[in-house]
Amino acid sequence: MSMNVIRKCFGIICIFYVATLFTPLAVSGEESVTVTVGSKKFTESVILGEIVSHLAEDKALKPVHRRELGGTRVLWSALLKGEIDIYPEYTGTISREIFAGLGIENEEEIRRALSEKGIRMTGPLGFNNTYVIGMRADVARKLGIRKISDLRNHPELSLGFGNEFMDRGDGWPSLKERYSLPQKDVRGMDHDLAYRGLQSGDIDAMDLYATDAEIQYYKLQTLTDDLSHFPEYNALILYRADLEARAPGIISALSRLEGLISEPEMILMNARAKLDRIPESKIAADFLAARLSLDAEAHGETVMSRFWQHTYEHLFLVCISLIAAIGVSIPLGIIAAKKTKLGQIILGFVGIIQTIPSLALLVFMIPLLGIGGPPAIAALFLYSLLPIVRNTYTGIHDIPLHIRESSEAIGLSAGARLRIVEVPMASSSILAGIKTSAVINVGTATLGALIGAGGYGQPILTGIRLDDVGLILQGALPAALLALFVQGAFEIAERMLVPRGLRLKSMA
Amino acid sequence: MIELNNVTKTFGQTQALQSVTLTCSGGKTTVLIGPSGCGKSTLLRLIIGLTEQDSGTVTFDGVPVAPNNVFSLRRKMGYVIQEGGLFPHLTARRNITVMAGYLKWNADRIEERLDELLELTQFPHDGLDRFPLQLSGGQQQRVSLMRALMLDPSVLLLDEPLGALDPMIRADLQEELKEIFQALKKTVILVTHDIGEACYFGDEVVLLREGTIIQKGTPEDLVFAPVDPFVTHFINAQRSPLENVRAQ
Ligand SMILES: Nc1ncnc2c1ncn2[C@@H]1O[C@H](COP(=O)(O)OP(=O)(O)O)[C@@H](O)[C@H]1O
Ligand SMILES: [Mg+2]
């Protein structure tokens, strides 16, 4: 009888074992190979990323497009780490920023420098998206400005540059030096917000990309780079060398893009995305159908499915980081309350973490943890420490001496005092700290989208990029509601978790 | 029996106790008295190990009170702290039984002991499920006392147990406490700054000033055979104003 059972079990285990041996064989081959495509947080990069994704799909690969991943530094380090396999880049950015100071100029030198890092590149795609300086056409005409050097005679003008342009090697500092520009009022701002600043007259000039859709739309005058300051920004595709072995199909497909996209064509695609609000996936599919007769399928998501996806991602970021922070902060707060010297160090340390700007902390995490959820969770975790540590410390520290001494004098051990007296008496304060952390966490998690962690920040980011208030609200509104919900949930939790005898006090 | 031998305790510049030698014999009530800040509470806290002396020894039944045995010694001592020290988040019942629960007494034993204490202190049974803030001052003191007595300690340390009560309740409770002491036959050390209370309770009264013992003896000794003008001065300072009324 029992032998029978054992034999049956053994048989089942064997079947499973054999099945697992064969399963990988059954699904292996190119179709299971995942190719991760990255793109920067501006529309052109996202469209190029979609084009590459469609090509990969056409080669029976499984593309994953991590869209809108912050700037060059994020993508470059993600590529080096293998977090992404492919992303679109520009020659000028490679020579002036990624390999800044190495004096790399022409395409061959770039190719060599890249291959030393295990990175390959395609030939130029056909358009030069260099930087230009733009002004409102009417303002430029009135002041008689046609060239960048004309700006010298107008020190009163205020300039608004994209944050990346402010500190990149070929950006504002070197432009200012090259042309001896006298302007004092120079602001760093989001590139997409700068257009609005220009429209409203808050700023007079800004940096533009040569293929920006808005040049036509806003009737902008681009100023001639009469001293040839800006290098060429020929678009091309970077990919990891190991892709040649892993997914050879994609390499030949990428080479078909070389010389395929002209400047007017890129401006048109950018305009369809930004002005006509056509999804990038559709634009990319249309382009490939027209130019390569490729039958790519545009991936449209419904608003609802996107919403649930973002909600899931956001809750994931918040819950994991908050739970970890609670687990670490409460013991830290207790230690801080018990050991005066160590306590000062702990409180000082978590206080310093709080002063690091959130964006800097996120980017700082990339070399350690790559892109996506883990670095965002780590950063959110660090941010959530202070309120909980502080409130745990305060809650325990503020217990009246006579109560603390009574618990000691009746003979309770240190652990029992903590469990029976100190933590319950501090519970209200600890919960308030967790509530603060949770609410801050929900808000800060929206920045996670910048490093590919998704969440409600994703529609906000896309909305800013496309100047689409509706899209921004799709992220901002749920994030605000979630924060309110968290607040309410903690108030209910307080009523359930804080001992009744303590709540009497607040009534008296 | 509790013995202090040449005990000194300082806090920074403050000499809380200076070379104090004192024996509190078993089954007797010793009252510590003296002006505020003279070291009465510090003396009790040394006995129960809440602070450590700088020099000298404190022994309990011949065993020196030290960090390594303080937990087991505390179970043989009941302590009522000056401010009451009840845990506000626990009901009266939990306040009283928390230590018995920690020691894993079974429920029957706890209930039995609780009933004894309720009878002893005349505390109403339905008050057990109230929180400290829902009890009157006198009831709170009874709960503190029951908590101190729960494990049936051989020594009871009381730091101004009636200090915060109004005079009427205080007089009633004084009487009750004395009955309890007599019934229990425990070693009691009681702190007060009230000379009347000291004489009422004390088999022996110890008068302290600035950390030193000025006189130790029966209440009669202090009144009729003062060893220092301070003793008479201290007693007279607390004479009832009613005496003046009568004198006129
Ligand atoms: N933890 C402490 N830190 C500093 N000084 C203290 C401390 N405890 C007591 N003292 C000082 O020691 C002296 C005796 O205090 P205490 O024993 O509480 O007096 P009493 O109970 O007789 O009023 C006082 O001067 C008091 O200020
Ligand atoms: Mg005192």
Side-chain angles (χ1 to χ4, degrees):
Chain A
M1 174 72 176
S2 69
M3 266 316 281
N4 216 353
V5 173
I6 292 171
R7 210 172 300 144
K8 253 186 203 159
C9 287
F10 185 72
I12 292 170
I13 291 169
C14 279
I15 290 168
F16 269 115
Y17 181 64
V18 172
T20 51
L21 274 182
F22 282 98
T23 324
L25 285 180
V27 294
S28 75
E30 278 237 46
E31 69 177 304
S32 68
V33 173
T34 300
V35 172
T36 310
V37 182
S39 58
K40 299 190 191 181
K41 69 175 188 71
F42 53 86
T43 300
E44 184 169 291
S45 191
V46 176
I47 294 174
L48 293 175
E50 281 297 314
I51 289 177
V52 172
S53 300
H54 286 316
L55 285 175
E57 210 160 18
D58 185 56
K59 293 289 171 194
L61 297 164
K62 190 162 161 276
V64 175
H65 186 187
R66 328 251 342 214
R67 356 165 89 214
E68 299 168 326
L69 290 174
T72 304
R73 251 151 278 185
V74 175
L75 280 137
W76 175 246
S77 50
L79 186 69
L80 288 181
K81 281 202 74 186
E83 300 266 343
I84 57 174
D85 299 310
I86 309 178
Y87 86 90
E89 192 49 282
Y90 303 89
T91 49
T93 312
I94 300 172
S95 58
R96 299 277 178 124
E97 196 181 352
I98 293 177
F99 296 127
L102 298 184
I104 287 170
E105 282 299 334
N106 63 43
E107 215 180 297
E108 257 335 288
E109 286 169 350
I110 290 177
R111 199 178 287 276
R112 204 170 321 122
L114 285 172
S115 87
E116 273 168 28
K117 304 260 180 197
I119 306 297
R120 303 263 185 280
M121 63 182 241
T122 64
L125 305 185
F127 64 92
N128 174 16
N129 190 5
T130 189
Y131 275 102
V132 292
I133 301 298
M135 296 181 69
R136 254 164 57 182
D138 52 341
V139 178
R141 206 175 310 120
K142 202 172 74 196
L143 299 175
I145 299 174
R146 305 196 65 84
K147 316 187 289 292
I148 295 180
S149 49
D150 291 341
L151 290 173
R152 259 181 237 147
N153 311 323
H154 299 276
E156 75 289 352
L157 294 181
S158 55
L159 314 179
F161 294 126
N163 292 315
E164 209 176 326
F165 188 76
M166 285 300 280
D167 54 9
R168 53 186 291 149
D170 52 7
W172 168 244
S174 66
L175 181 74
K176 172 185 165 144
E177 197 178 328
R178 182 66 180 262
Y179 282 93
S180 313
L181 295 179
Q183 281 77 16
K184 286 274 176 290
D185 182 8
V186 181
R187 278 170 267 174
M189 50 174 69
D190 187 279
H191 190 68
D192 293 284
L193 295 177
Y195 282 114
R196 262 170 275 173
L198 202 59
Q199 274 309 93
S200 65
D202 273 345
I203 56 173
D204 300 301
M206 65 180 284
D207 62 307
L208 300 168
Y209 306 114
T211 53
D212 269 358
E214 289 86 348
I215 295 176
Q216 304 278 0
Y217 180 76
Y218 287 115
K219 298 188 178 60
L220 302 182
Q221 165 83 52
T222 57
L223 308 184
T224 312
D225 181 15
D226 49 332
L227 296 182
S228 305
H229 170 73
F230 293 118
E232 287 189 341
Y233 281 83
N234 293 315
L236 44 73
I237 310 285
L238 298 183
Y239 57 91
R240 290 176 59 82
D242 59 18
L243 215 55
E244 281 164 353
R246 203 146 50 82
I250 189 71
I251 312 297
S252 57
L254 289 177
S255 67
R256 296 178 72 187
L257 291 177
E258 291 170 8
L260 195 69
I261 311 173
S262 68
E263 260 153 56
E265 246 164 335
M266 197 63 237
I267 292 179
L268 195 72
M269 285 198 276
N270 286 338
R272 289 184 75 196
K274 290 196 87 161
L275 309 177
D276 305 336
R277 301 270 156 81
I278 295 168
E280 292 85 2
S281 180
K282 170 105 175 69
I283 296 169
D286 289 349
F287 173 80
L288 290 173
R291 299 299 308 274
L292 297 180
S293 312
L294 206 106
D295 188 17
E297 194 184 329
H299 302 287
E301 288 171 304
T302 65
V303 172
M304 259 348 248
S305 78
R306 228 170 32 209
F307 170 76
W308 289 119
Q309 173 70 15
H310 295 148
T311 304
Y312 167 77
E313 290 163 349
H314 207 89
L315 287 176
F316 183 75
L317 294 178
V318 170
C319 290
I320 303 286
S321 60
L322 192 64
I323 289 169
I326 293 170
V328 172
S329 304
I330 294 180
L332 279 182
I334 291 170
I335 294 170
K338 300 272 168 188
K339 310 248 182 255
T340 318
K341 277 223 183 83
L342 191 58
Q344 290 312 310
I345 295 171
I346 291 172
L347 290 174
F349 183 71
V350 293
I352 287 169
I353 291 176
Q354 208 74 5
T355 64
I356 304 173
S358 30
L359 213 53
L361 192 60
L362 280 172
V363 173
F364 177 70
M365 287 293 157
I366 293 175
L368 304 173
L369 296 167
I371 54 167
I377 288 172
L380 291 173
F381 161 79
L382 290 174
Y383 268 117
S384 301
L385 293 176
L386 179 68
I388 309 176
V389 172
R390 262 231 95 86
N391 277 36
T392 305
Y393 164 82
T394 313
I396 289 180
H397 189 261
D398 288 355
I399 294 173
L401 187 67
H402 66 102
I403 289 175
R404 211 159 340 137
E405 291 201 323
S406 286
S407 71
E408 211 177 330
I410 63 173
L412 290 173
S413 68
R417 293 201 298 269
L418 206 56
R419 183 163 47 81
I420 299 172
V421 179
E422 291 165 344
V423 170
M425 284 195 69
S427 59
S428 170
S429 175
I430 295 174
L431 267 177
I434 296 175
K435 179 167 74 177
T436 308
S437 273
V439 171
I440 293 175
N441 197 320
V442 167
T444 313
T446 55
L447 292 176
L450 280 172
I451 56 168
Y456 292 137
Q458 197 73 59
I460 296 178
L461 217 57
T462 314
I464 293 174
R465 174 166 69 76
L466 297 176
D467 193 11
D468 182 341
V469 176
L471 211 50
I472 294 175
L473 287 181
Q474 275 180 36
L477 221 55
L481 288 177
L482 185 60
L484 282 177
F485 171 79
V486 165
Q487 177 121 7
F490 271 99
E491 257 134 53
I492 292 168
E494 201 169 334
R495 232 160 284 159
M496 291 185 339
L497 291 177
V498 175
R500 199 160 71 83
L502 289 180
R503 279 176 283 127
L504 292 171
K505 201 182 225 162
S506 50
M507 278 158 55
Chain B
M1 196 171 69
I2 289 167
E3 285 182 281
L4 285 83
N5 196 352
N6 212 13
V7 169
T8 296
K9 175 73 190 173
T10 53
F11 295 103
Q13 300 294 316
T14 316
Q15 280 265 336
L17 292 174
Q18 290 175 53
S19 313
V20 169
T21 298
L22 177 68
T23 304
C24 304
S25 19
K28 292 270 170 55
T29 299
T30 306
V31 175
L32 305 179
I33 189 167
S36 183
C38 69
K40 308 181 291 290
S41 297
T42 304
L43 208 156
L44 282 199
R45 289 154 46 84
L46 280 172
I47 294 171
I48 199 152
L50 286 175
T51 38
E52 256 186 286
Q53 66 275 21
D54 302 336
S55 62
T57 53
V58 181
T59 56
F60 179 94
D61 285 340
V63 183
V65 178
N68 61 354
N69 64 8
V70 75
F71 283 103
S72 58
L73 287 184
R74 279 171 187 164
R75 289 171 204 168
K76 299 177 191 157
M77 298 189 239
Y79 176 56
V80 176
I81 203 165
Q82 196 162 355
E83 297 90 345
L86 290 180
F87 308 132
H89 63 296
L90 300 179
T91 58
R93 177 194 299 276
R94 283 271 290 144
N95 262 285
I96 299 164
T97 61
V98 65
M99 193 56 203
Y102 173 72
L103 294 175
K104 305 228 166 18
W105 285 22
N106 66 40
D108 290 345
R109 186 173 170 204
I110 291 178
E111 275 312 303
E112 203 176 304
R113 179 67 183 150
L114 203 51
D115 284 340
E116 284 170 22
L117 292 173
L118 289 179
E119 194 175 337
L120 185 72
T121 59
Q122 316 246 309
F123 187 83
H125 198 280
D126 60 1
L128 281 178
D129 294 317
R130 300 219 189 109
F131 290 99
L133 280 164
Q134 296 168 315
L135 299 170
S136 71
Q139 285 173 325
Q140 285 180 18
Q141 281 309 334
R142 282 170 221 256
V143 173
S144 296
L145 185 65
M146 284 191 276
R147 183 172 72 180
L149 289 169
M150 184 67 195
L151 302 185
D152 200 14
S154 54
V155 170
L156 196 52
L157 310 172
L158 302 141
D159 197 345
E160 307 202 25
L162 308 175
L165 302 178
D166 65 69
M168 296 276 282
I169 298 173
R170 187 176 176 140
D172 287 347
L173 255 165
Q174 272 174 355
E175 223 166 289
E176 251 179 66
L177 259 184
K178 184 152 187 175
E179 280 166 27
I180 291 170
F181 294 166
Q182 279 164 353
L184 294 176
K185 303 204 168 48
K186 290 191 188 301
T187 310
V188 176
I189 306 179
L190 183 141
V191 167
T192 179
H193 59 254
D194 182 281
I195 187 72
E197 201 165 279
C199 295
Y200 181 72
F201 284 112
D203 297 316
E204 206 157 42
V205 177
V206 180
L207 179 63
L208 289 138
R209 185 182 63 173
E210 289 169 10
T212 49
I213 295 177
I214 301 295
Q215 185 169 6
K216 178 186 163 190
T218 62
E220 292 76 19
D221 289 341
L222 263 74
V223 178
F224 300 112
V227 298
D228 188 292
F230 173 75
V231 180
T232 315
H233 181 69
F234 183 78
I235 293 171
N236 286 347
Q238 292 198 19
R239 281 249 288 276
S240 168
L242 288 176
E243 282 177 36
N244 296 334
V245 175
R246 223 177 297 140
Q248 281 162 5

